[in-house]
Amino acid sequence: MRAYHDFYAVAPTDRDLRTLTVELLAADGRHGLQLIARDRLGEAVGFVMLLFIRSTTTAALAAVMNDLRTGPAARGVGVAEALIDRCASESVQHGAAKLTWITRPDNHPAQAVYDQRATRDPWITYRIDLRNSTPTWR
């Protein structure tokens, strides 16, 4: 996980990451899942967070794949594809009508994988960093 955060130049604390993971596990999959890919020796070589939300555009449950990351040795050998496929399968099992995710525009290696598995979405993503910004909605 730390390598993923380094890649995106973000720095959540280890404590916050553990809290997030424990909360997700405690919810028994109702809000989402954390999936870990392991090699033949049992070492973690990739992970992904799968979150479930309500979508008004589909009037149904939707799944959002967040934070997909594979280690350097696991790239190009089907690990990312397996994680995406597992997310799709879990999404169907949970009754989701769609699975979406985003990546940085300059993350071309990931896009090459994603383009084989999904259709690019026309939506543009925006965000407000609520922890580190002055609210403008007051």
Side-chain angles (χ1 to χ4, degrees):
M1 274 187 174
R2 186 55 59 201
Y4 173 82
H5 297 113
D6 292 345
F7 177 78
Y8 281 110
V10 295
T13 67
D14 288 341
R15 180 179 179 211
D16 287 345
L17 289 172
R18 276 192 298 276
T19 299
L20 173 70
T21 301
V22 167
E23 287 174 353
L24 200 56
L25 291 173
D28 264 347
R30 289 187 312 270
H31 304 297
L33 306 166
Q34 183 176 46
L35 304 173
I36 300 173
R38 298 188 181 278
D39 65 14
R40 292 181 183 161
L41 300 175
E43 294 294 318
V45 295
F47 80 98
V48 66
M49 298 285 287
L50 180 64
L51 305 173
F52 301 117
I53 63 169
R54 298 285 172 197
S55 169
T56 59
T57 59
T58 56
L61 186 70
V64 178
M65 188 176 70
N66 270 357
D67 308 335
L68 176 70
R69 164 91 169 137
T70 58
R75 296 186 185 139
V77 296
V79 174
E81 292 87 345
L83 285 168
I84 294 167
D85 291 349
R86 179 69 185 270
C87 284
S89 175
E90 291 287 344
S91 298
V92 168
Q93 288 179 30
H94 281 80
K98 67 180 177 180
L99 171 63
T100 62
W101 64 92
I102 61 172
T103 192
R104 268 191 349 204
D106 63 345
N107 193 352
H108 301 292
Q111 290 173 36
V113 173
Y114 300 160
D115 286 341
Q116 294 175 4
R117 285 287 192 273
T119 303
R120 286 190 184 221
D121 203 19
W123 295 89
I124 297 171
T125 302
Y126 294 89
R127 77 166 183 242
I128 297 172
D129 291 324
L130 299 172
R131 289 184 178 178
N132 302 315
S133 69
T134 304
T136 58
W137 58 84
R138 289 186 179 161

